[in-house]
Amino acid sequence: MLAVTTESTATQDLLQAVWSLLLPAFDRETDAAADVRLASRLASARLATPALAPHPRDPASWSDVVFSVADADAAQPTSSVREVRLRPDGEGWVLVLVDALGELACPVGADGWTVSEPEGVPVGVTGGWGDAGFEAEVAFIETPHTLRVVCAPSGAATTSWVTEPLGSHDVRSLRRLG
């Protein structure tokens, strides 16, 4: 059995790689040296992070400001997030996604990904400040979905998916059930 979670929309390319590279490997003898090389390579693998500043120029102007999500009241909003807030937390920041049920408070990794489980929803978050304001990626790590969040200095927020979830756009449902 093979389970694949990916945000790739190139499904045929993925299946071709499975058939041509992975499947034939099951009929071969194991190679201990190759296993060690693979383990080393996987141990050092990292997801890329955007080049963003870890702090804004004026932290007070961003702290606990309510950023209203632009399409929250639309007939079919992009996500269930209605508001976004940013809170300072020690040396870093916390991204707060507010939906109809309350807050999902996610620590932000400025120089990498920070993994947390707000309200039982496993996420990895990276973000910081760029030309557009605050920018973050929230990877729902038990699914193949990442939500991009941008908070503009004007007080508006936008959300968009790297690949749109099938079915629900409810951020609380993007986890393994059971």
Side-chain angles (χ1 to χ4, degrees):
M1 178 187 302
L2 173 68
V4 178
T5 57
T6 177
E7 284 186 294
S8 173
T9 56
T11 306
Q12 189 58 48
D13 294 340
L14 173 66
L15 291 174
Q16 183 60 38
V18 168
W19 281 106
S20 65
L21 301 172
L22 187 58
L23 193 59
F26 286 111
D27 289 336
R28 294 186 190 146
E29 292 294 320
T30 61
D31 179 345
D35 290 346
V36 169
R37 287 191 308 274
L38 177 61
S40 175
R41 181 175 161 207
L42 292 175
S44 65
R46 300 288 180 262
L47 284 175
T49 57
L52 299 167
H55 299 285
R57 289 187 193 116
D58 182 12
S61 67
W62 291 89
S63 181
D64 283 317
V65 173
V66 174
F67 297 90
S68 298
V69 174
D71 71 347
D73 293 323
Q76 297 203 354
T78 302
S79 72
S80 61
V81 178
R82 303 187 61 71
E83 296 176 359
V84 177
R85 298 187 185 121
L86 297 165
R87 293 187 182 139
D89 182 42
E91 296 295 315
W93 290 81
V94 174
L95 171 67
V96 181
L97 305 175
V98 182
D99 65 7
L101 298 176
E103 297 183 349
L104 293 174
C106 312
V108 177
D111 60 349
W113 292 83
T114 299
V115 175
S116 64
E117 230 177 285
E119 302 292 320
V121 180
V123 295
V125 181
T126 188
W129 281 263
D131 293 339
F134 177 80
E135 304 170 35
E137 291 191 4
V138 181
F140 294 86
I141 58 179
E142 292 182 341
T143 76
H145 301 296
T146 301
L147 183 67
R148 289 190 172 134
V149 178
V150 177
C151 298
S154 65
T158 57
T159 61
S160 61
W161 296 101
V162 173
T163 56
E164 192 168 335
L166 298 175
S168 177
H169 293 160
D170 178 0
V171 295
R172 292 174 188 265
S173 70
L174 295 174
R175 60 188 165 122
R176 179 180 55 84
L177 300 177

